[in-house]
Amino acid sequence: DTGVSQDPRHKITKRGQNVTFRCDPISEHNRLYWYRQTLGQGPEFLTYFQNEAQLEKSRLLSDRFSAERPKGSFSTLEIQRTEQGDSAMYLCASSFEGEAFFGQGTRLTVV
Amino acid sequence: AQTVTQSQPEMSVQEAETVTLSCTYDTSENNYYLFWYKQPPSRQMILVIRQEAYKQQNATENRFSVNFQKAAKSFSLKISDSQLGDTAMYFCAFRVAGTASKLTFGTGTRLQVTL
């Protein structure tokens, strides 16, 4: 078990392009969370899955954002028509019953 | 809704000294957890210490301990015998107990440990 893995680690994209990030949680963890962290701020919750069901979405998750977790394993977060304000670190975390374990994040830069 | 406030954007401490990071929170919940997470530069966030609100005893993990004051809604982190490897961003976080609810984070305190 190598912990929570996120890919890519860094992504630079032009405004208006679509991007997709992947998160592989710890294998036995049924809960998966996405957070966004901007410079100088703490992580802010985006969405949460229990197995394959998306159970909660933040108001931060606009219509341009979509997240999936097919078969309750890995998860993807897609941002369509990226904007400069989407530039941030996107963190994934997973848990079973207790504490959440975080991945190293994907840093998105929209130019 | 819950809020978490960290009023110290940056702190500095000399190696081997003790430092205390402050955190206050606001909630109407009675049963919850509080956490301190460490985020080293360019590395993933890791859990430092956790406190259950129903426990009066303050949590301790080696050199890390908390001062949990439930009535005052205060949750400070004390790092004893500071080491260079303690240099990181430290985030205070809150989660409602009994659910798989998300973490609510403060804005963080950047701790620099110097020689």
Side-chain angles (χ1 to χ4, degrees):
Chain A
D1 181 12
T2 56
V4 180
S5 176
Q6 292 189 246
D7 183 70
R9 293 286 310 279
H10 303 272
K11 178 73 177 177
I12 299 174
T13 190
K14 291 184 178 179
R15 190 175 51 186
Q17 297 294 306
N18 299 344
V19 293
T20 300
F21 311 140
R22 177 180 171 122
C23 171
D24 286 274
I26 294 171
S27 58
E28 64 269 23
H29 285 184
N30 59 344
R31 296 168 182 164
L32 188 147
Y33 304 82
W34 285 98
Y35 291 84
R36 182 173 72 184
Q37 185 178 19
T38 53
L39 203 61
Q41 299 295 318
E44 296 172 292
F45 170 76
L46 291 178
T47 190
Y48 153 63
F49 290 86
Q50 180 147 325
N51 300 312
E52 66 275 12
Q54 188 174 19
L55 297 185
E56 189 175 354
K57 292 197 291 186
S58 161
R59 282 173 289 183
L60 290 176
L61 212 67
S62 75
D63 291 346
R64 297 184 297 106
F65 287 70
S66 63
E68 295 183 340
R69 193 183 181 195
K71 301 178 184 176
S73 56
F74 71 92
S75 176
T76 58
L77 178 68
E78 181 184 17
I79 309 174
Q80 296 182 326
R81 305 180 304 281
T82 51
E83 302 172 355
Q84 286 190 319
D86 297 331
S87 294
M89 176 76 84
Y90 290 84
L91 298 172
C92 177
S94 71
S95 70
F96 180 63
E97 292 279 331
E99 65 176 275
F101 291 82
F102 283 81
Q104 290 186 287
T106 294
R107 182 169 296 283
L108 173 67
T109 302
V110 182
V111 298
Chain B
Q2 286 69 232
T3 59
V4 178
T5 302
Q6 293 179 251
S7 59
Q8 303 156 314
E10 295 185 2
M11 296 277 287
S12 182
V13 63
Q14 286 192 316
E15 200 176 21
E17 297 296 305
T18 295
V19 64
T20 298
L21 308 184
S22 300
C23 173
T24 58
Y25 60 95
D26 192 24
T27 183
S28 57
E29 301 285 342
N30 192 48
N31 199 10
Y32 50 87
Y33 299 110
L34 293 162
F35 306 86
W36 279 97
Y37 278 88
K38 170 185 177 182
Q39 189 177 41
S42 302
R43 295 186 62 187
Q44 67 206 91
M45 196 168 315
I46 58 173
L47 181 66
V48 174
I49 198 164
R50 156 183 161 150
Q51 174 79 44
E52 289 88 347
Y54 66 87
K55 288 187 178 178
Q56 290 189 326
Q57 186 172 7
N58 289 323
T60 299
E61 286 287 340
N62 301 314
R63 299 182 295 106
F64 299 88
S65 61
V66 298
N67 183 3
F68 174 48
Q69 301 289 328
K70 190 172 184 179
K73 294 180 180 171
S74 170
F75 183 62
S76 61
L77 174 70
K78 185 171 82 170
I79 306 174
S80 304
D81 186 26
S82 297
Q83 301 175 359
L84 294 177
D86 295 333
T87 293
M89 283 291 291
Y90 286 82
F91 292 98
C92 179
F94 172 103
R95 179 167 73 82
V96 176
T99 69
S101 68
K102 71 268 190 182
L103 291 162
T104 300
F105 288 87
T107 52
T109 296
R110 184 178 302 280
L111 178 66
Q112 181 73 46
V113 181
T114 60
L115 291 170

